[in-house]
Amino acid sequence: MITIALAGNPNCGKTTLFNALTGATAHVGNWPGVTVDKREGVCKKGDKPVTVVDLPGIYSLSPYTPEEVIARNYILDSKPDCVINIVDSTNLERNLYLTTQFLEMDVPVVVALNMTDELDKRGDRIDSKLLEERIGVPVIRISAFTGYGIKDLINRAVSAASRPRKGVSVLAGTSISDAISQVADRMNDETQSPVFHAIKLLEGDSVERSVHKKSASYADGLLSEFNDPIFGNDIEALVANARYDYITKNFSPALYRKEKGSTLTVSEKIDRVLTNKWAGIPIFAAILFVIFHLTFSEDFLFLGAMGVLGRNWDAKWVCFEGSAYFEGLFGSSDGIMAPGVILANLLNGITGAIQGGISGGLEAAGAAEWAVGFVGDGVLGGLFSVLSFLPQILVLFLFFSILEDSGYMARVAFILDRIFRRLGLSGRAFMPMIMGFGCSIPAMINTRTLADAKERTSTVRVIPFFSCGAKLPILTAMAGGMIGAFGVGDAGLITFLMYLVGMIVAFVAIVAMRSTTLRGELTPFIMELPNYRMPGFRSTMLHLWDKCKHFIKKAFTIILASTIIIWFLSHFAWNWTFLSDEAMDGSILASIGMLIQPLFTPVGFGAQLNSAGWVFAVAAITGLIAKENVIATFGTLAASVVSGFALDEALEGVDAVEALIGATGISGAGCIAFILFNMLTIPCFAAVATARGELPKGKFRWTLLFWIVTSYSVAAMIYTVGQFVWPVAIWIAVIAAAATAIVIWNKKNPLRKEIKAA
Amino acid sequence: MGAIEIVIICVAVAVVAAVVGVMIWRKVRGKGGGCGCDCASCRGCSACKKPVKNKKDEAKR
């Protein structure tokens, strides 16, 4: 099968084209650097099937970044039959810089002019026939977003793949062209793409020099006598300048720009507000708050708190008062539910009805009491506890997806760069952190775009502090349970604050690491800001479907198996005798929970709780497998543990947590500490495995210790201060001592002085 | 123990065995994420440091 590689600048639409060609659902984002590794798929859109390889975005074929190394090595070593060079039509000249380098390789090249729909909207035009004539390879107009021109592109690429092509350089006629020819002639028998290798050798490319040592010495000999009147012997600068000169003289005439009345584009006008030096960060914080409010609040727009609703608003038809499963669907006496909560309530009602129906059916069929309890309260209770949060997860990620696809997230990285540099990171580190809100695993992989190893290590370590989708049920259920149990606060506000605390802890940890064990110089942050775009319906739905599919799959595999094991361990004693709910304190799980429970005393969910308190200790441990397990554990055990609670209704999610808070006697401060401990501690198995792969040698064990120490310290601080107030003085003293130690350490550190001087 | 209870026990054991078995199999064979995560965003890339049995497996990947 023919293999076609997709290559081009970052954010030019390679992955969108890959998805359109192969039907894949790879992650697409409107910011540079989403793809960090190559991926393969099969395209059946043309006359015959072809293998398509999506390469990470690159600006050149020099080995400056990991992405450039991956793309270059793939094209040179794996030798695809054809390279489709995707070019952003709205940014033609800069994108063609990479094209001039592909032209130097002995590989068939087809240029795809992408985003032609955006170009048309601007009123600009590219004469693709003229461009094809000048470049000397096929040039096809496409729009990966709408699908325009894709079939033609793949057929032209297949046709080009059947005709071998020799590399040609646009540097002919420049002062370096003779040297290029001489080195290329010498390398002709040694390697394929001699023109490309010759130019790279003359540029002083480290990879080329190590592979072609003899030719490198020959090139050095030629360069010792070389002296350009403008660039001297700075060959890299000379070559870059010559490429842009060639593009301007030969390719740019194909571009016709519409005369514009205003010098500012729409994106630039929006950026004047959103990336404003003073307003940028408050606007970002306000947007985040609105998103959390729309997803989690049980008092939409705070209408209830402001008394806008009036006395009789909570009519029966709005609140579904007295309904077995749908009570409070749209609101309660406190206020109207936010859209995310309404959807969650709806799903809760449906799952509650299913749970009640199955339990009732088993009872009617004469099943034993333990079997009814196992299926109804144990397995379904645990499973539905987790599933009930799916609507809120989807609503939250719908908003995040819109922010990402619109191009706003790239701006946030830009506005945060100023703060990040003070913390010791570049703004580039913000993108993997934001990805961490979805899942820590791709976020950790995305840190490969960070050039500095120490910056990468510190970023990988704090990524789990940006609560992923799996931790969302913990936050939401605990917040909802606290409101029910203590009658204070707003679920949206509590969830937002918990996310905020996670971010603050991440930033403080970065400062501490970058000032002590992971000191290092800062790499400059250069990122091309993409144009604002209207998020596409298909790509947004693909994001959500991906999230939904993953969540449901996990619920019906790992979570389902976990609930079965948890129920089994909680209803059998060490001597394998079955235990009733009332005797559960003698179970295997309870004895393990009671054994480890004292460890959590300083963080508020240990020995100070009553006899059922071991449930919190067990939930914290099961959460290490998958974070959803924390709430699944509550859902599985709630009905059995909580005696005297109104058991005529299903105990899922928020209800299960509320019941457990009442039954165990955990305090509000203990609840907050429990949330933070689970948010900040060792992430799930999968994320730990990824961290192990991404971290440099020797850093993994320290990272595990870092997660344990951070989560324990923060949870202990929040609990002790929240519970007794007076320990605040002790914690201030500890923090002040740590800060003083870091300052003294830094004063002795010459590296810091060098950075300051620079 | 009646038929319902036996069916429930069999299904529960089968579910646990299947999930644990697949996790172990994925870990050994290096399918999906290699780490057994089956993460939606996982692209089966080199980050997972998948264990491989022999050079044939390596070549296949």
Side-chain angles (χ1 to χ4, degrees), chain A residues 302-310:
Chain A
F302 299 109
L303 296 175
M306 291 189 292
V308 177
L309 296 172

Side-chain angles (χ1 to χ4, degrees), chain A residues 37 39 365 367-368 370 374-375 439 442 445 448 550 553 557 560 564 686 689 693-694, chain B residues 1 4-5 8-9 12 15-16 19 23 35 37-41 43 45-47 49:
Chain A
D37 209 338
R39 65 169 81 84
W370 70 263
F374 169 65
V375 175
C439 177
I445 293 169
R448 290 178 199 176
H550 175 55
K553 199 174 170 187
T557 50
L560 179 61
I564 292 170
E694 294 298 319
Chain B
M1 195 180 288
I4 296 174
E5 287 82 357
I8 287 171
I9 289 171
V15 168
V16 174
V19 171
M23 278 173 78
C35 49
C37 69
D38 195 27
C39 172
S41 309
R43 291 152 291 183
C45 54
S46 53
K49 306 256 160 93

Side-chain angles (χ1 to χ4, degrees), chain A residues 585-646:
Chain A
D585 280 354
S587 67
I588 299 170
L589 195 68
S591 57
I592 296 170
M594 285 171 189
L595 190 71
I596 57 171
Q597 196 181 353
L599 290 174
F600 299 105
T601 305
V603 290
F605 49 98
Q608 60 271 70
L609 306 188
N610 62 29
S611 61
W614 57 268
V615 175
F616 280 92
V618 167
I621 300 301
T622 56
L624 296 179
I625 301 166
K627 288 295 165 191
E628 295 93 333
N629 259 347
V630 173
I631 296 307
T633 305
F634 287 157
T636 305
L637 298 177
S640 306
V641 167
V642 182
S643 56
F645 195 80

Side-chain angles (χ1 to χ4, degrees), chain A residues 313-325:
Chain A
W313 92 271
D314 52 336
K316 213 169 184 177
W317 67 273
V318 179
C319 296
F320 283 69
E321 204 178 301
S323 166
Y325 299 111

Side-chain angles (χ1 to χ4, degrees), chain A residues 54-198:
Chain A
D54 182 22
L55 297 174
I58 47 173
Y59 288 109
S60 77
L61 289 167
S62 301
Y64 294 132
T65 63
E67 295 97 314
E68 284 170 348
V69 173
I70 291 167
R72 170 184 159 139
N73 287 352
Y74 180 78
I75 296 169
L76 289 176
D77 300 339
S78 300
K79 298 183 181 65
D81 298 295
C82 178
V83 172
I84 292 181
N85 173 212
I86 298 137
V87 167
D88 176 359
S89 309
T90 62
N91 219 333
L92 188 68
E93 283 112 331
R94 196 186 33 67
N95 276 243
L96 287 175
Y97 181 82
L98 181 65
T99 310
T100 61
Q101 296 180 59
F102 284 130
L103 294 176
E104 286 156 3
M105 293 174 148
D106 294 351
V107 61
V109 177
V110 173
V111 173
L113 292 176
N114 195 19
M115 303 187 198
T116 48
D117 50 338
E118 272 190 42
L119 190 81
D120 293 343
K121 270 186 213 162
R122 284 185 181 192
D124 297 342
R125 192 171 63 81
I126 294 175
D127 185 342
S128 55
K129 290 281 170 219
L130 177 65
L131 196 59
E132 184 170 321
E133 220 171 79
R134 298 276 174 100
I135 296 181
V137 297
V139 175
I140 321 289
R141 283 167 57 88
I142 65 158
S143 169
F145 184 69
T146 61
Y148 165 75
I150 283 179
K151 195 174 175 192
D152 187 26
L153 172 70
I154 207 76
N155 285 334
R156 292 286 292 273
V158 171
S159 161
S162 61
R163 293 189 300 273
R165 184 185 156 274
K166 290 298 280 180
V168 288
S169 174
V170 299
L171 303 173
T174 60
S175 58
I176 194 74
S177 60
D178 284 345
I180 294 172
S181 306
Q182 287 174 47
V183 179
D185 285 345
R186 194 188 154 85
M187 297 180 82
N188 221 352
D189 300 329
E190 194 182 328
T191 178
Q192 277 195 323
S193 304
V195 177
F196 172 81
H197 291 293

